[in-house]
Amino acid sequence: MEFPFTINNLFKEKIVKLKYDLLPNGFRGERRDMIDCASKISQILDDMGRASAIAQGLNKPITSGERLRNSEHLVYLLIDPEGKGTVVGLLKVGSKNLYVYDHTGAHHEVKPLCVLDFYVHESKQRMGLGKILYEHMLKEANVLPQDLAIDKPSENFLAFLFKYYGLEHIIPQSNNYVVFDGFFADRPVMNGSAKVQSDHVKDTFDGIPPTVGRHSAFKPVSTMGAILQNVSVNPYQNDGTVPRIAPDIIRPVMKLK
Ligand code: ACO
Protein backbone atom coordinates (compact mmCIF):
# COMPACT_ATOMS: atom_id res chain seq x y z
CA MET A 1 0.00 0.00 0.00
CA GLU A 2 1.34 3.41 -0.98
CA PHE A 3 1.09 6.61 1.04
CA PRO A 4 1.47 10.30 0.18
CA PHE A 5 4.73 10.39 2.12
CA THR A 6 7.99 8.44 1.93
CA ILE A 7 7.71 5.26 3.94
CA ASN A 8 11.48 4.79 3.85
CA ASN A 9 11.91 8.06 5.77
CA LEU A 10 9.74 6.70 8.58
CA PHE A 11 11.02 3.15 8.86
CA LYS A 12 14.56 1.88 8.65
CA GLU A 13 13.72 -1.78 9.20
CA LYS A 14 11.76 -4.23 7.09
CA ILE A 15 9.58 -5.25 10.00
CA VAL A 16 8.55 -2.51 12.38
CA LYS A 17 7.01 -3.06 15.81
CA LEU A 18 4.59 -0.40 17.00
CA LYS A 19 2.90 0.18 20.32
CA TYR A 20 0.64 2.83 21.85
CA ASP A 21 3.08 5.72 21.21
CA LEU A 22 2.83 5.08 17.43
CA LEU A 23 6.57 5.55 17.01
CA PRO A 24 9.14 3.15 15.60
CA ASN A 25 11.59 1.64 18.07
CA GLY A 26 14.46 3.97 18.86
CA PHE A 27 12.77 7.02 17.35
CA ARG A 28 14.79 10.17 17.91
CA GLY A 29 13.68 13.66 17.03
CA GLU A 30 12.19 16.88 18.26
CA ARG A 31 8.64 17.08 19.53
CA ARG A 32 7.41 18.37 16.17
CA ASP A 33 9.03 15.44 14.34
CA MET A 34 7.54 13.04 16.85
CA ILE A 35 4.02 14.38 16.30
CA ASP A 36 4.48 14.27 12.54
CA CYS A 37 5.79 10.69 12.63
CA ALA A 38 2.98 9.47 14.93
CA SER A 39 0.39 11.12 12.71
CA LYS A 40 1.76 9.40 9.59
CA ILE A 41 1.88 6.06 11.37
CA SER A 42 -1.68 6.59 12.52
CA GLN A 43 -2.70 7.11 8.89
CA ILE A 44 -0.89 3.91 7.89
CA LEU A 45 -2.67 1.95 10.62
CA ASP A 46 -6.04 3.43 9.63
CA ASP A 47 -5.59 2.58 5.96
CA MET A 48 -4.13 -0.89 6.51
CA GLY A 49 -6.79 -1.61 9.15
CA ARG A 50 -9.52 -0.60 6.72
CA ALA A 51 -8.04 -2.75 3.94
CA SER A 52 -7.80 -5.69 6.33
CA ALA A 53 -11.43 -5.29 7.36
CA ILE A 54 -12.53 -5.20 3.72
CA ALA A 55 -10.45 -8.31 2.95
CA GLN A 56 -12.11 -10.12 5.87
CA GLY A 57 -15.61 -8.87 5.08
CA LEU A 58 -15.88 -7.03 8.41
CA ASN A 59 -18.08 -3.98 8.72
CA LYS A 60 -15.52 -2.04 10.73
CA PRO A 61 -11.75 -2.16 11.14
CA ILE A 62 -10.13 -3.98 14.04
CA THR A 63 -6.98 -1.90 13.69
CA SER A 64 -6.58 1.87 13.60
CA GLY A 65 -4.14 4.43 14.96
CA GLU A 66 -6.61 5.45 17.63
CA ARG A 67 -7.20 1.87 18.76
CA LEU A 68 -3.51 1.11 19.06
CA ARG A 69 -2.94 4.34 20.98
CA ASN A 70 -5.51 3.24 23.55
CA SER A 71 -4.35 -0.34 24.02
CA GLU A 72 -1.43 -2.50 25.06
CA HIS A 73 -1.51 -4.30 21.75
CA LEU A 74 1.41 -4.52 19.37
CA VAL A 75 1.33 -4.09 15.62
CA TYR A 76 4.01 -5.41 13.30
CA LEU A 77 4.21 -3.80 9.87
CA LEU A 78 6.01 -5.39 6.96
CA ILE A 79 7.70 -2.86 4.70
CA ASP A 80 8.78 -3.23 1.11
CA PRO A 81 11.58 -0.65 0.75
CA GLU A 82 11.48 -0.58 -3.05
CA GLY A 83 11.15 2.98 -4.38
CA LYS A 84 9.68 5.29 -1.71
CA GLY A 85 8.65 2.22 0.25
CA THR A 86 5.27 0.58 0.68
CA VAL A 87 3.52 -1.14 3.56
CA VAL A 88 2.65 -4.68 2.57
CA GLY A 89 1.58 -6.43 5.77
CA LEU A 90 0.09 -5.90 9.21
CA LEU A 91 -0.10 -8.24 12.20
CA LYS A 92 -1.70 -7.19 15.47
CA VAL A 93 -1.31 -9.19 18.68
CA GLY A 94 -2.14 -8.69 22.33
CA SER A 95 -2.76 -10.57 25.56
CA LYS A 96 -6.41 -11.13 26.48
CA ASN A 97 -8.20 -12.66 29.41
CA LEU A 98 -10.14 -15.60 28.01
CA TYR A 99 -12.22 -18.48 29.29
CA VAL A 100 -11.43 -21.57 27.26
CA TYR A 101 -12.33 -25.24 27.31
CA ASP A 102 -9.74 -27.97 26.99
CA HIS A 103 -10.29 -31.38 25.40
CA THR A 104 -11.96 -32.78 28.48
CA GLY A 105 -14.37 -29.88 28.74
CA ALA A 106 -12.56 -28.38 31.71
CA HIS A 107 -12.84 -24.64 31.76
CA HIS A 108 -9.76 -22.45 32.15
CA GLU A 109 -9.17 -18.79 32.68
CA VAL A 110 -6.11 -17.93 30.64
CA LYS A 111 -4.30 -14.88 29.37
CA PRO A 112 -2.66 -16.01 26.17
CA LEU A 113 -1.14 -13.94 23.44
CA CYS A 114 -3.86 -13.55 20.80
CA VAL A 115 -3.68 -12.85 17.10
CA LEU A 116 -6.15 -10.03 16.58
CA ASP A 117 -5.60 -8.88 13.00
CA PHE A 118 -3.48 -10.19 10.14
CA TYR A 119 -3.38 -8.83 6.63
CA VAL A 120 -1.09 -8.87 3.61
CA HIS A 121 -1.87 -6.54 0.73
CA GLU A 122 -3.79 -8.26 -2.07
CA SER A 123 -0.98 -7.64 -4.59
CA LYS A 124 1.47 -9.51 -2.34
CA GLN A 125 -0.51 -12.41 -0.96
CA ARG A 126 0.65 -16.02 -1.30
CA MET A 127 4.28 -15.02 -1.79
CA GLY A 128 5.49 -16.02 1.65
CA LEU A 129 5.32 -12.52 3.16
CA GLY A 130 2.67 -13.47 5.71
CA LYS A 131 4.99 -16.20 6.94
CA ILE A 132 7.90 -13.79 7.30
CA LEU A 133 5.77 -11.46 9.41
CA TYR A 134 4.25 -14.24 11.51
CA GLU A 135 7.62 -15.92 12.17
CA HIS A 136 9.06 -12.60 13.27
CA MET A 137 6.28 -12.15 15.80
CA LEU A 138 6.60 -15.73 17.11
CA LYS A 139 10.33 -15.26 17.64
CA GLU A 140 9.95 -11.89 19.36
CA ALA A 141 7.18 -13.11 21.63
CA ASN A 142 9.03 -16.36 22.26
CA VAL A 143 5.91 -18.44 21.70
CA LEU A 144 5.01 -21.49 19.65
CA PRO A 145 2.20 -21.29 17.07
CA GLN A 146 -0.04 -23.53 19.20
CA ASP A 147 0.37 -21.26 22.25
CA LEU A 148 -1.63 -18.51 20.57
CA ALA A 149 -5.36 -17.93 20.58
CA ILE A 150 -6.74 -16.58 17.31
CA ASP A 151 -9.60 -14.14 17.13
CA LYS A 152 -12.07 -15.47 14.55
CA PRO A 153 -9.56 -16.70 11.95
CA SER A 154 -10.52 -16.49 8.28
CA GLU A 155 -10.37 -19.51 6.00
CA ASN A 156 -7.14 -18.13 4.50
CA PHE A 157 -5.56 -17.84 7.90
CA LEU A 158 -6.65 -21.34 8.89
CA ALA A 159 -5.09 -22.64 5.67
CA PHE A 160 -1.94 -20.66 6.49
CA LEU A 161 -1.70 -22.15 9.99
CA PHE A 162 -2.18 -25.65 8.65
CA LYS A 163 0.33 -25.23 5.85
CA TYR A 164 3.18 -23.86 7.93
CA TYR A 165 2.56 -25.24 11.40
CA GLY A 166 0.33 -28.25 10.87
CA LEU A 167 -2.33 -26.69 13.11
CA GLU A 168 -5.49 -28.52 12.26
CA HIS A 169 -7.36 -29.78 15.31
CA ILE A 170 -9.34 -26.97 16.86
CA ILE A 171 -10.60 -27.26 20.42
CA PRO A 172 -14.15 -25.86 20.18
CA GLN A 173 -14.85 -22.79 22.30
CA SER A 174 -17.91 -20.81 23.25
CA ASN A 175 -16.37 -17.52 22.13
CA ASN A 176 -14.90 -16.37 18.82
CA TYR A 177 -11.39 -17.43 19.69
CA VAL A 178 -9.81 -20.50 18.19
CA VAL A 179 -7.22 -22.58 20.01
CA PHE A 180 -5.52 -25.65 18.63
CA ASP A 181 -4.29 -28.95 19.95
CA GLY A 182 -1.23 -28.21 22.04
CA PHE A 183 -2.60 -24.98 23.50
CA PHE A 184 -2.83 -26.63 26.92
CA ALA A 185 0.32 -28.73 26.52
CA ASP A 186 2.44 -26.83 29.00
CA ARG A 187 -0.38 -25.30 30.98
CA PRO A 188 -1.25 -26.88 34.32
CA VAL A 189 -4.81 -28.14 34.71
CA MET A 190 -6.70 -28.14 37.99
CA ASN A 191 -9.84 -30.22 38.49
CA GLY A 192 -12.39 -28.64 36.21
CA SER A 193 -11.28 -25.04 36.42
CA ALA A 194 -7.95 -23.32 36.47
CA LYS A 195 -6.36 -19.97 36.05
CA VAL A 196 -3.38 -20.16 33.75
CA GLN A 197 -1.18 -17.14 33.35
CA SER A 198 1.00 -16.27 30.41
CA ASP A 199 2.28 -12.97 31.66
CA HIS A 200 5.72 -13.90 30.38
CA VAL A 201 4.50 -12.96 26.93
CA LYS A 202 3.83 -9.38 27.87
CA ASP A 203 7.04 -9.26 29.89
CA THR A 204 9.03 -10.61 26.97
CA PHE A 205 7.47 -7.98 24.73
CA ASP A 206 8.34 -5.16 27.05
CA GLY A 207 11.90 -6.36 27.21
CA ILE A 208 11.59 -6.95 30.97
CA PRO A 209 12.55 -10.37 32.29
CA PRO A 210 9.53 -12.17 33.77
CA THR A 211 9.32 -11.86 37.52
CA VAL A 212 6.36 -14.20 37.79
CA GLY A 213 6.11 -17.36 35.71
CA ARG A 214 2.87 -17.89 33.83
CA HIS A 215 2.14 -21.09 35.74
CA SER A 216 2.77 -19.74 39.17
CA ALA A 217 -0.46 -18.09 40.24
CA PHE A 218 -3.73 -19.95 40.47
CA LYS A 219 -7.02 -18.46 41.47
CA PRO A 220 -10.62 -19.63 41.30
CA VAL A 221 -12.65 -18.95 38.18
CA SER A 222 -14.17 -15.48 38.30
CA THR A 223 -17.95 -15.83 38.22
CA MET A 224 -18.39 -12.22 37.10
CA GLY A 225 -15.85 -12.70 34.32
CA ALA A 226 -17.68 -15.79 33.16
CA ILE A 227 -20.98 -13.90 33.13
CA LEU A 228 -19.43 -11.06 31.16
CA GLN A 229 -18.07 -13.53 28.64
CA ASN A 230 -21.45 -15.22 28.51
CA VAL A 231 -20.08 -18.65 29.44
CA SER A 232 -20.98 -21.10 32.14
CA VAL A 233 -18.67 -21.41 35.13
CA ASN A 234 -19.45 -25.10 35.37
CA PRO A 235 -18.97 -26.55 31.89
CA TYR A 236 -20.50 -29.90 32.75
CA GLN A 237 -24.08 -30.91 32.28
CA ASN A 238 -25.87 -33.24 34.72
CA ASP A 239 -24.68 -36.29 32.82
CA GLY A 240 -21.08 -35.08 32.96
CA THR A 241 -20.83 -34.25 29.25
CA VAL A 242 -19.76 -30.90 27.92
CA PRO A 243 -22.64 -28.68 26.75
CA ARG A 244 -23.18 -28.28 23.03
CA ILE A 245 -21.45 -25.25 21.56
CA ALA A 246 -23.38 -22.85 19.37
CA PRO A 247 -23.20 -24.05 15.73
CA ASP A 248 -22.03 -20.70 14.36
CA ILE A 249 -19.09 -20.78 16.70
CA ILE A 250 -17.92 -24.20 15.63
CA ARG A 251 -18.52 -23.56 11.95
CA PRO A 252 -14.78 -22.97 11.21
CA VAL A 253 -14.01 -26.32 12.86
CA MET A 254 -16.52 -28.14 10.73
CA LYS A 255 -15.24 -26.54 7.55
CA LEU A 256 -11.62 -27.29 8.31
CA LYS A 257 -12.27 -30.94 8.99
N1 ACO B 1 -6.97 -19.01 -0.11
C1 ACO B 1 -6.54 -20.09 0.55
N2 ACO B 1 -5.41 -20.12 1.30
C2 ACO B 1 -4.71 -18.97 1.41
C3 ACO B 1 -5.12 -17.79 0.75
C4 ACO B 1 -6.30 -17.84 -0.04
N3 ACO B 1 -6.74 -16.79 -0.72
N4 ACO B 1 -4.24 -16.83 1.04
C5 ACO B 1 -3.29 -17.38 1.85
N5 ACO B 1 -3.58 -18.67 2.08
C6 ACO B 1 -2.81 -19.62 2.90
C7 ACO B 1 -2.43 -20.83 2.07
O1 ACO B 1 -2.09 -21.87 2.95
C8 ACO B 1 -1.22 -20.32 1.36
O2 ACO B 1 -0.41 -21.35 0.84
P1 ACO B 1 -0.62 -21.77 -0.72
O3 ACO B 1 -0.49 -20.50 -1.52
O4 ACO B 1 0.48 -22.75 -0.96
O5 ACO B 1 -2.00 -22.35 -0.82
C9 ACO B 1 -0.51 -19.59 2.44
O6 ACO B 1 -1.55 -19.01 3.25
C10 ACO B 1 0.38 -18.51 1.88
O7 ACO B 1 1.26 -18.10 2.87
P2 ACO B 1 1.91 -16.66 2.80
O8 ACO B 1 2.18 -16.29 1.38
O9 ACO B 1 3.05 -16.65 3.75
O10 ACO B 1 0.72 -15.80 3.40
P3 ACO B 1 0.15 -14.41 2.85
O11 ACO B 1 1.26 -13.46 2.60
O12 ACO B 1 -0.83 -14.64 1.77
O13 ACO B 1 -0.64 -13.91 4.16
C11 ACO B 1 -2.87 -13.83 5.03
C12 ACO B 1 -1.65 -14.71 4.74
C13 ACO B 1 -2.46 -12.73 6.02
C14 ACO B 1 -3.95 -14.72 5.67
C15 ACO B 1 -3.35 -13.20 3.71
O14 ACO B 1 -3.75 -14.22 2.84
C16 ACO B 1 -4.49 -12.21 3.87
O15 ACO B 1 -4.26 -11.05 4.15
N6 ACO B 1 -5.73 -12.65 3.67
C17 ACO B 1 -6.90 -11.76 3.72
C18 ACO B 1 -7.16 -11.26 5.13
C19 ACO B 1 -7.31 -12.38 6.12
O16 ACO B 1 -8.02 -13.35 5.90
N7 ACO B 1 -6.64 -12.21 7.28
C20 ACO B 1 -6.73 -13.11 8.44
C21 ACO B 1 -7.95 -12.71 9.23
S1 ACO B 1 -8.16 -13.56 10.75
C22 ACO B 1 -7.33 -12.66 11.88
O17 ACO B 1 -6.74 -11.68 11.56
C23 ACO B 1 -7.26 -13.10 13.30
Side-chain angles (χ1 to χ4, degrees), residues 56 118 120 125-128 130-131 151 154 156 159 163-164:
Q56 295 177 55
F118 188 24
V120 168
Q125 285 176 14
R126 301 185 100 161
M127 295 179 180
K131 182 169 189 248
D151 187 6
S154 64
N156 299 355
K163 174 180 169 140
Y164 293 120

Side-chain angles (χ1 to χ4, degrees), residues 38-112:
S39 144
K40 286 174 174 155
I41 288 177
S42 189
Q43 186 180 339
I44 292 170
L45 293 170
D46 289 354
D47 290 1
M48 288 292 284
R50 220 173 288 122
S52 177
I54 291 168
Q56 295 177 55
L58 305 174
N59 50 19
K60 62 176 185 189
I62 300 162
T63 304
S64 69
E66 193 56 26
R67 278 180 174 235
L68 184 60
R69 203 184 273 289
N70 293 307
S71 74
E72 290 184 6
H73 299 156
L74 294 173
V75 169
Y76 295 89
L77 293 179
L78 181 64
I79 310 301
D80 178 353
E82 203 182 308
K84 283 173 26 179
T86 51
V87 182
V88 293
L90 171 146
L91 175 60
K92 181 163 85 165
V93 296
S95 295
K96 295 252 179 185
N97 282 310
L98 299 178
Y99 290 85
V100 289
Y101 293 106
D102 67 18
H103 285 106
T104 69
H107 198 207
H108 303 267
E109 185 184 351
V110 292
K111 195 175 180 186

